[in-house]
Amino acid sequence: MVDGSHPVPEEQLAAVREVIRDVGATDVPEIVVINKADAADPLVLQRLLRVEKRSIAVSARTGQGIEELLTLIDNELPRPSVEVEALVPYTHGKLVARAHTEGEVISEEHTAEGTLLKVRVHEELAADLAPYTPTPTA
């Protein structure tokens, strides 16, 4: 995040990158968010957007660019990779809650036996759900 209305926003950006290096987070993907786009000098804004390849201009005051930023962040977030179907007994509701918080629920149906989930989750949760994989009916 850099203040687009700052006289020398590149200095702010350099300071942030130094902290990122200091904490050992240089391998984390970077999106440069230039805030106060509504108050920034248009030439400075254009320069920053041209130089910083993964950048976006936003204004917290007006809302400009916020939706685009949220979409960009959503596209960059890692997604769970294992698709699982599980019939989780009602006595194991914590597993259903984990599926909702740690994964992506594709479908959910409440049956007499428990909650039938179709989810995308990470490997650890997939292993926890594995005992509840429904057996195919003949």
Side-chain angles (χ1 to χ4, degrees), residues 61-94:
R61 187 175 65 76
T62 68
Q64 170 195 340
I66 299 296
E67 282 301 315
E68 294 87 350
L69 174 60
L70 292 173
T71 299
L72 183 59
I73 292 169
D74 186 53
N75 290 338
E76 293 293 319
L77 290 174
R79 298 277 186 245
S81 60
V82 182
E83 193 167 302
V84 175
E85 187 170 337
L87 181 57
V88 182
Y90 290 119
T91 56
H92 291 79
K94 286 186 179 183

Side-chain angles (χ1 to χ4, degrees), residues 1 39 53 58-59 107 110 115 117:
M1 178 75 72
K53 300 302 177 203
V58 302
S59 169
S107 67
H110 299 284
T115 305
L117 291 174

Side-chain angles (χ1 to χ4, degrees), residues 12-34:
Q12 284 189 333
L13 195 52
V16 169
R17 286 182 171 145
E18 184 176 339
V19 171
I20 289 171
R21 273 191 303 278
D22 290 348
V23 299
T26 55
D27 59 336
V28 175
E30 177 185 73
I31 299 171
V32 175
V33 180
I34 307 161

Side-chain angles (χ1 to χ4, degrees), residues 107-118:
S107 67
E108 179 176 17
E109 180 184 340
H110 299 284
T111 71
E113 297 82 29
T115 305
L116 180 61
L117 291 174
K118 187 170 186 180

